[in-house]
């Protein structure tokens, strides 16, 4: 909670951790604690849970709240905690956001409601409702049109940023890089913008972005955090070198649907007890594993091992 009063300091690599499951599909809280210790030791600047990499749509609200509670307790205010609290249902979004606020989250990451394809006015009203309900909690929109079938427009972000003091930023997960620039141009650079697209993480910093919420931080957290730190220190060539060295691991993430490849790697590293993903996802196929192993061999020097995290 200590970062809640000044969300402008929530910057850098915010690791969007997976939700580990046991082999029979239950949420594995012991492995989740291990993952958080791993991220803290590796130098991640913040932690998120419940974004796309965390399989939130395959979990009940009660499961998500219990997992958030485990993470919040393990972080213990050492770095910012930005849980994903969005759903396709408003009542569930409010329930999850209320729970996050009570357990000390520093901000709530609220996905655009999926499947229904609301208009821009409907999106404005959705986020306005959340912002009004929790005036003391920073609200961050999570824009991921590839999964939600709706894109929150720069003008809508500007309306929310203008109308609500606690609407502080947006996680942009769109490959349209012009969109990043138009959002910052519309709102000004006091809006906090994080990239959720791995290969646009470093470019966003040149536009004045706050950092990134990159799934590759699950398997190479030190490298992802270091890339941000190098850029901030003005060591641009070194930051670019890391950006390009991360390419194989970025490709690995999407050999099959994220987070199945990530969970397989984390299981191989001993960080989680099972690579289980919940339906409709499946663990990587044999053909997928061939490619995953190839890419891991190519970029594996950047993956951090568990060390003393267990």
């Amino acid at each position: 909670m200590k970062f809640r009063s000044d969300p402008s300091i929530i910057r850098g690599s915010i690791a969007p951790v997976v939700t580990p499951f046991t082999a029979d599909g239950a949420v594995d809280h012991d492995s989740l604690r291990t993952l958080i210790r791993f991220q803290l030791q590796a130098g991640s600047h913040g932690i998120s849970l419940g974004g796309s990499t965390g399989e939130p749509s395959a979990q009940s609200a009660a499961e998500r709240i219990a997992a958030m509670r485990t993470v919040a307790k393990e972080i213990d205010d050492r770095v910012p905690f930005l849980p994903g609290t969005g759903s396709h249902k408003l009542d569930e979004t409010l329930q999850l956001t209320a729970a996050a606020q009570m357990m000390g989250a520093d901000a709530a990451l609220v996905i655009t409601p999926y499947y229904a394809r609301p208009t821009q006015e409907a999106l404005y009203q959705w986020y306005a409702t959340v912002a009004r309900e929790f005036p003391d909690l920073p609200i961050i929109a999570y824009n991921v049109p590839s999964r939600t079938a709706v894109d929150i427009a720069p003008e809508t972000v500007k309306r929310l940023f203008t109308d609500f003091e606690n609407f502080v930023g947006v996680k942009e997960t769109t490959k349209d890089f012009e969109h990043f620039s138009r959002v910052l141009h519309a709102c000004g650079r006091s809006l906090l913008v994080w990239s959720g697209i791995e290969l646009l993480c470093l470019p966003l910093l040149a536009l004045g972005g706050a950092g990134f919420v990159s799934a590759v931080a699950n398997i190479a957290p030190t490298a992802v955090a270091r890339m941000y730190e190098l850029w901030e220190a003005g060591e641009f060539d070194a930051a670019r070198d890391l950006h390009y060295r991360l390419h194989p691991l970025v490709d690995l993430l999407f050999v099959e649907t994220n987070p199945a490849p990530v969970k397989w790697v984390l299981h191989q590293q001993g960080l989680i007890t099972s690579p289980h993903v919940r339906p409709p996802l499946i663990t990587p196929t044999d053909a997928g594993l061939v490619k995953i192993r190839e890419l891991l061999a190519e970029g594996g020097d950047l993956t951090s091992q568990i060390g003393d995290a267990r």
Side-chain angles (χ1 to χ4, degrees):
M1 183 187 292
K2 71 178 183 180
F3 305 97
R4 185 188 292 179
S5 61
D6 184 10
S8 67
I9 65 175
I10 304 175
R11 294 178 176 271
S13 175
I14 311 299
V17 296
V18 304
T19 303
F21 300 123
T22 62
D24 60 2
V27 177
D28 185 348
H29 289 265
D30 287 339
S31 289
L32 186 53
R33 293 184 190 94
T34 298
L35 290 178
I36 302 309
R37 291 195 293 271
F38 172 57
Q39 289 293 335
L40 293 173
Q41 291 174 10
S44 289
H45 305 119
I47 291 172
S48 182
L49 174 76
S52 302
T53 304
E55 299 175 74
S57 62
Q59 297 173 63
S60 68
E63 286 177 315
R64 292 177 66 182
I65 290 169
M68 284 193 291
R69 187 175 294 112
T70 293
V71 172
K73 185 175 181 181
E74 194 65 42
I75 293 174
D76 193 26
D77 266 348
R78 286 175 284 181
V79 297
F81 178 36
L82 286 69
T85 63
S87 167
H88 64 295
K89 297 194 296 182
L90 183 58
D91 59 347
E92 190 169 272
T93 296
L94 297 177
Q95 177 191 6
L96 289 160
T97 306
Q101 182 179 46
M102 289 181 63
M103 65 184 65
D106 296 287
L109 189 64
V110 181
I111 195 169
T112 52
Y114 37 90
Y115 186 75
R117 302 182 70 180
T119 64
Q120 292 301 310
E121 179 60 29
L123 287 172
Y124 173 84
Q125 292 185 25
W126 177 279
Y127 282 106
T129 300
V130 177
R132 288 193 192 100
E133 187 77 15
F134 306 99
D136 299 323
L137 180 67
I139 303 299
I140 300 164
Y142 176 18
N143 188 37
V144 53
S146 66
R147 288 187 182 256
T148 64
V150 66
D151 192 0
I152 184 168
E155 295 76 19
T156 304
V157 175
K158 181 180 180 179
R159 286 181 67 192
L160 291 162
F161 188 55
T162 300
D163 292 351
F164 299 98
E165 186 176 348
N166 63 323
F167 184 91
V168 299
V170 57
K171 174 188 172 184
E172 288 288 0
T173 308
T174 171
K175 292 185 178 182
D176 178 4
F177 196 52
E178 284 191 9
H179 186 95
F180 289 71
S181 187
R182 293 188 184 282
V183 167
L184 283 162
H185 179 65
C187 299
R189 279 173 280 175
S190 56
L191 179 78
L192 300 172
V193 180
W194 293 267
S195 175
I197 297 292
E198 279 66 30
L199 296 185
L200 295 181
C201 287
L202 187 63
L204 176 61
L205 299 182
L207 299 180
F212 20 89
V213 187
S214 169
V216 79
N218 278 282
I219 56 177
T222 300
V224 177
R226 183 63 176 152
M227 183 171 67
Y228 175 84
E229 293 164 0
L230 287 167
W231 180 270
E232 289 298 299
E235 298 183 43
F236 303 132
D237 284 341
R240 291 186 195 102
D241 287 344
L242 267 180
H243 167 83
Y244 288 114
R245 288 174 62 199
L246 282 164
H247 264 243
L249 298 182
V250 172
D251 292 343
L252 182 157
L253 300 179
F254 306 108
V255 168
E256 294 182 6
T257 305
N258 178 48
V262 165
K263 283 191 163 183
W264 183 86
V265 173
L266 292 173
H267 177 57
Q268 293 298 303
Q269 290 182 327
L271 284 158
I272 60 178
T273 60
S274 167
H276 184 89
V277 289
R278 284 185 175 175
L281 300 183
I282 59 171
T283 54
T285 62
D286 289 343
L289 287 176
V290 170
K291 188 62 176 176
I292 289 168
R293 290 189 177 99
E294 289 175 356
L295 292 166
L296 189 59
E298 187 177 347
D301 61 312
L302 293 180
T303 60
S304 301
Q305 297 302 315
I306 188 168
D308 297 327
R310 269 184 293 198

